[in-house]
Amino acid sequence: MPYIDSILKENRIFYPSHEFSRKSRIKNMQEYSRLYKKSIEAPEKFWGEKANELDWFRKWDIVLRNDMGFFKWFEGGQLNVSHNCLDRIVKSGKKSKIALIWEPETGESKKYTYEELLKEVCKFANVLKKIGVKKGNVVQIYLPMIPELPIAMLACARIGAIHSVVFAGFSSDALKDRIQDSKADLLITSDGSFRNEKVYPLKENADAALKNCPTIKNVVVVKRAENNADMQNGRDFWWHDLINDKNVMDSCEPESLHAEESLFILYTSGTTGKPKGILHTQAGYLLFTHLTFKLIFDIKDNDIYFCTADIGWITGHSYIVYGPLSNGATIVMYEGSPTFPSPDRFWRVVEKHKATIFYTAPTAIRALAKEGNEWPDNCDLSSLRLLGTVGEPINPEAWVWYHKCIGKGKCPIVDTWWQTETGGILISPLPGATPLKPGSATKPFFGIIADVLREDGSRANVNEGGYLVIRNPWPGMLRTVWNDPKRYKSSYFEKFGVYLTGDSARIDEDGYFWIMGRIDDVIKVAGHRIGSAEVESSLVSHEAVAEAAIVPYPHDIKGQAIYAFVVLKKNFRKSEELKEELKIHVSKTMGPIAKPDKMQFADDLPKTRSGKIMRRILKAIAEGSKDYGNIMTLADPGVVDALAKNRVK
Ligand code: PRX
């Protein structure tokens, strides 16, 4: 657990200012506790009351039903998510309010009012219908951070198509795997994407993937990079040609959808095998992102909210698109890297648009802190009133830097713990109420019963680390794993009968949660969730590799980085060139975020007599520790010393 030592040493408490608390929705811990108790004692009443904040075409019959372990929320109810994010806001008198400010890596920023965004979404919804997309079809989206991405998602939501966004930094193989699993009918992509002024050929990647994706009938291509993408006659269409057709109207009736119809699939890595398609549905997801965004970011009408996440991940889905828009907020969406053209890029964006709320990942905070204080100090950050973090544990040093150098000591920090599966934030401070301890995500949100269990299912003691679980259902929870309901049950409910998060945590004497990291074979590299099994299969797919094992090691900026142990096939020679080739192979097959940072060739791996690789030992070796635990159960204990001797430092 990389940061646990420093967490244990950290005992400062930071209180919200009176001024902040006075203006916030939940003003103190008494109010939090009172509401929390109500939400736990009568969850259906609590969520039913909150659901009245949304527009329904038909009210629900029942708030919650447990259908043999599959949870159904608001059955009988009908609504439309895009209607709730756009039409409802326009009708509330905010048609001229800015919904989206798009800040490209280079060039002019672009703004959309709620009315303009609604029109764009309607136009594209009509385009989707025209090219034959029907309610219940899956639309795969492989786009960079450009406005067409949220527009495409909302257009799908409008007509009842299910979107499945693939992060544009993923490779063609990763895209292919996801399309093959989702069985999408349509792909939306762009000719290219920009990062650090380089152009990435997204359409080329898409074409490579589509060689093995027979379900895709058409491809819609946004012109972003002007890099002369190849267009296949009859299959591929330019976005601008479709949308500028005179017959495409800028209004489109939102489809009335059942509360439990599918809204989107988002793939994420698990302990074993291929990525899982996490399924979220309409009403519960919308309500949960709506309420968590409203209370945790304490959103006000004049806020300018800047979230640096990519929409290809759940943070972008829930807290760039659905949560903020359903609250009528103004969002800043940034296309490029945090350090382009210089390490003050985020701070310049804050200054330019007078952002009041800033939400990012600890890895970005660590990387930018390292660049020195002069970068933020030379920007006007006085508009900021609230900061947030997500994606991995934040070490107190980085927290304190963020608080002092970015928040100037006056902005509360919401350290928000959640997952792709949870749909929205489950553990987090409420900024006007919760006293903050740097490194702790603090307390559960309303309606959430979080707990820490021992291996035998009993409750862990105060400060004793264990499995983080959620004991009750909540509206934003995943409904199933796409095409694999068995995996839903086995991954999340088999071990304890309650929702297993895959994280370890401890609860301190004040009831504060301290997330310690993943307890399974998932590695959090710079906040990105990487399955060891996926990287291992990528390595083994190279002709030189007989066997591979991946473990995390602590990294100053990324939090965790990837250490690969590789056993070569007999007729391949160990060389630095081959190492480089293998790293590039992973980068090409999975995407650059999965590329191992360190690689060690091994003659053998530590295995039990039944042939199971002992990762705990490899992890100790990668960390440079001699704390291997018991090695006598190994088939050949001698392997360990040989590996430790050749550790890559
Ligand atoms: O390990 C936890 C870590 O991120 C995992 C979920 O990853 P993903 O599904 O990609 O979603 C990331 C964005 C919500 C969790 O199992 N994690 C997320 N937030 C925090 C965190 N770890 C510590 N503190 C957090 N605030």
Side-chain angles (χ1 to χ4, degrees):
M1 308 299 165
Y3 294 114
I4 200 65
D5 280 350
S6 49
I7 283 171
L8 287 176
K9 274 186 244 135
E10 181 56 57
N11 48 21
R12 272 175 290 178
I13 298 186
F14 294 76
Y15 293 89
S17 69
H18 289 302
E19 179 68 359
F20 194 102
S21 298
R22 195 171 55 78
K23 292 186 185 155
S24 61
R25 286 192 171 80
I26 311 288
K27 297 179 183 8
N28 52 53
M29 286 312 266
Q30 288 77 359
E31 213 175 309
Y32 161 77
S33 305
R34 191 172 47 77
L35 260 174
Y36 179 75
K37 193 159 170 267
K38 262 173 88 177
S39 72
I40 297 305
E41 285 174 356
E44 291 170 36
K45 183 164 180 284
F46 176 84
W47 290 115
E49 277 170 20
K50 297 295 174 201
N52 283 318
E53 292 183 20
L54 303 175
D55 261 3
W56 294 81
F57 299 143
R58 183 187 186 280
K59 279 272 162 80
W60 58 93
D61 300 320
I62 171 174
V63 173
L64 172 64
R65 189 168 67 88
N66 180 346
D67 180 12
M68 321 252 290
F70 294 90
F71 296 93
K72 315 278 182 198
W73 287 85
F74 302 106
E75 271 181 325
Q78 283 186 241
L79 47 54
N80 182 283
V81 169
S82 98
H83 166 89
N84 271 284
C85 290
L86 299 167
D87 314 53
R88 189 171 61 90
I89 309 298
V90 166
K91 280 188 199 136
S92 73
K94 292 189 187 167
K95 69 174 189 185
S96 308
K97 181 170 177 179
I98 302 294
L100 187 66
I101 303 172
W102 178 58
E103 179 70 27
E105 191 178 83
T106 49
E108 298 281 302
S109 50
K110 198 166 164 185
K111 295 183 181 177
Y112 295 80
T113 63
Y114 270 91
E115 190 179 36
E116 287 162 348
L117 190 61
L118 171 60
K119 282 190 176 162
E120 291 304 313
V121 167
C122 284
K123 278 201 261 176
F124 195 64
N126 286 327
V127 163
L128 289 175
K129 284 198 214 167
K130 202 169 145 198
I131 54 180
V133 178
K134 302 237 159 20
K135 184 175 132 176
N137 287 166
V138 178
V139 174
Q140 206 81 35
I141 305 179
Y142 184 54
L143 282 176
M145 285 289 281
I146 54 177
E148 286 81 356
L149 173 50
I151 289 169
M153 292 160 74
L154 289 158
C156 288
R158 197 159 190 91
I159 66 167
I162 306 165
H163 62 71
S164 170
V165 181
V166 177
F167 172 53
F170 273 141
S171 67
S172 61
D173 270 4
L175 175 65
K176 176 199 74 189
D177 288 347
R178 284 155 179 78
I179 297 176
Q180 285 181 349
D181 191 78
S182 73
K183 306 204 169 30
D185 296 275
L186 177 76
L187 174 67
I188 304 172
T189 187
S190 68
D191 50 359
S193 69
F194 287 103
R195 200 171 163 93
N196 291 321
E197 253 186 338
K198 275 211 303 240
V199 176
Y200 291 86
L202 285 198
K203 177 64 167 53
E204 231 174 74
N205 291 353
D207 284 337
L210 293 187
K211 286 195 182 118
N212 297 300
C213 297
T215 58
I216 296 283
K217 298 184 197 83
N218 290 114
V219 184
V220 176
V221 187
V222 180
K223 192 170 259 181
R224 170 77 190 115
E226 313 253 353
N227 56 347
N228 297 320
D230 255 351
M231 296 290 278
Q232 201 184 95
N233 223 342
R235 186 195 71 177
D236 304 349
F237 303 98
W238 288 110
W239 173 293
H240 58 266
D241 285 344
L242 294 169
I243 209 141
N244 292 332
D245 181 329
K246 280 197 297 299
N247 298 321
V248 173
M249 306 223 299
D250 63 6
S251 66
C252 168
E253 269 307 296
E255 190 80 23
S256 178
L257 297 164
H258 294 289
E260 280 298 348
E261 280 183 273
S262 304
L263 176 63
F264 69 84
I265 308 165
L266 187 60
Y267 285 84
T268 192
S269 298
T271 305
T272 51
K274 286 200 306 191
K276 302 181 263 206
I278 302 300
L279 181 73
H280 286 287
T281 56
Q282 311 279 333
Y285 172 81
L286 177 67
L287 174 61
F288 198 67
T289 52
H290 173 77
L291 191 72
T292 46
F293 183 75
K294 181 169 156 183
L295 298 184
I296 293 168
F297 294 99
D298 193 41
I299 197 77
K300 304 279 195 292
D301 199 28
N302 55 358
D303 271 321
I304 310 282
Y305 163 83
F306 175 21
C307 170
T308 69
D310 193 292
I311 295 178
W313 309 110
I314 191 70
T315 305
H317 280 58
S318 301
Y319 298 113
I320 295 183
V321 183
Y322 294 113
L325 291 176
S326 69
N327 279 281
T330 299
I331 305 150
V332 179
M333 167 180 174
Y334 171 59
E335 179 193 34
S337 103
T339 48
F340 183 86
S342 48
D344 56 354
R345 186 61 196 258
F346 282 170
W347 321 132
R348 291 279 165 219
V349 174
V350 168
E351 178 180 71
K352 180 172 172 189
H353 299 295
K354 301 201 169 27
T356 55
I357 305 176
F358 179 70
Y359 190 32
T360 196
T363 185
I365 298 167
R366 289 189 294 263
L368 296 175
K370 209 174 158 199
E371 299 285 346
N373 292 358
E374 58 277 21
W375 296 105
D377 285 354
N378 287 330
C379 293
D380 179 4
L381 302 180
S382 59
S383 55
L384 288 173
R385 65 176 196 91
L386 177 61
L387 304 173
T389 76
V390 60
E392 41 171 333
I394 181 161
N395 44 314
E397 298 75 27
W399 194 102
V400 169
W401 181 84
Y402 196 31
H403 191 256
K404 199 165 135 197
C405 294
I406 306 306
K408 311 297 176 197
K410 70 175 170 64
C411 305
I413 298 178
V414 286
D415 176 351
T416 62
W417 177 88
W418 59 297
Q419 311 177 294
T420 306
E421 293 87 339
T422 68
I425 300 165
L426 298 197
I427 304 178
S428 167
L430 294 172
T434 317
L436 305 172
K437 300 187 188 184
S440 168
T442 75
K443 301 242 179 184
F445 187 71
F446 301 122
I448 303 300
I449 309 177
D451 213 341
V452 174
L453 303 184
R454 300 197 182 103
E455 189 65 46
D456 65 3
S458 61
R459 289 187 76 185
N461 283 332
V462 167
N463 282 323
E464 179 184 342
Y467 294 90
L468 177 65
V469 298
I470 310 297
R471 288 192 177 276
N472 61 324
W474 64 99
M477 69 189 296
L478 80 162
R479 295 303 193 267
T480 188
V481 174
W482 188 248
N483 287 331
D484 203 348
K486 275 203 193 109
R487 200 166 171 200
Y488 162 82
K489 290 233 172 144
S490 63
S491 304
Y492 302 106
F493 294 97
E494 205 167 78
K495 193 169 174 76
F496 295 120
V498 291
Y499 176 78
L500 179 72
T501 65
D503 281 2
S504 61
R506 66 185 171 91
I507 308 176
D508 75 10
E509 48 290 342
D510 298 322
Y512 276 47
F513 283 74
W514 296 82
I515 311 297
M516 291 149 78
R518 297 292 305 194
I519 220 162
D520 53 11
D521 292 327
V522 170
I523 307 180
K524 271 278 170 167
V525 183
H528 299 309
R529 188 164 152 177
I530 312 279
S532 322
E534 291 164 62
V535 185
E536 287 161 7
S537 358
S538 161
L539 281 168
V540 173
S541 72
H542 189 281
E543 53 166 7
V545 178
E547 213 174 5
I550 298 297
V551 290
Y553 70 93
H555 187 281
D556 278 354
I557 305 250
K558 299 183 188 181
Q560 293 188 317
I562 296 178
Y563 194 115
F565 293 89
V566 175
V567 181
L568 294 178
K569 285 184 187 154
K570 284 249 155 40
N571 38 353
F572 286 87
R573 219 171 47 79
K574 299 171 186 164
S575 70
E576 286 307 311
E577 291 73 41
L578 182 55
K579 263 192 198 172
E580 214 31 55
E581 187 180 320
L582 293 176
K583 287 183 187 175
I584 291 170
H585 175 75
V586 175
S587 180
K588 274 201 181 133
T589 50
M590 288 187 65
I593 53 170
K595 184 174 166 181
D597 292 78
K598 292 184 182 177
M599 188 177 285
Q600 175 174 350
F601 287 133
D603 294 323
D604 211 349
L605 297 174
K607 287 184 190 153
T608 59
R609 282 179 203 117
S610 60
K612 188 173 175 293
I613 297 175
M614 296 294 282
R615 284 168 205 285
R616 132 178 94 70
I617 297 174
L618 291 174
K619 201 162 161 252
I621 294 172
E623 287 169 4
S625 149
K626 293 240 177 293
D627 196 5
Y628 307 132
N630 180 10
I631 61 169
M632 294 328 284
T633 52
L634 293 181
D636 174 8
V639 171
V640 178
D641 274 344
L643 286 173
K645 218 166 67 206
N646 295 317
R647 178 172 90 94
V648 178
K649 294 216 176 68

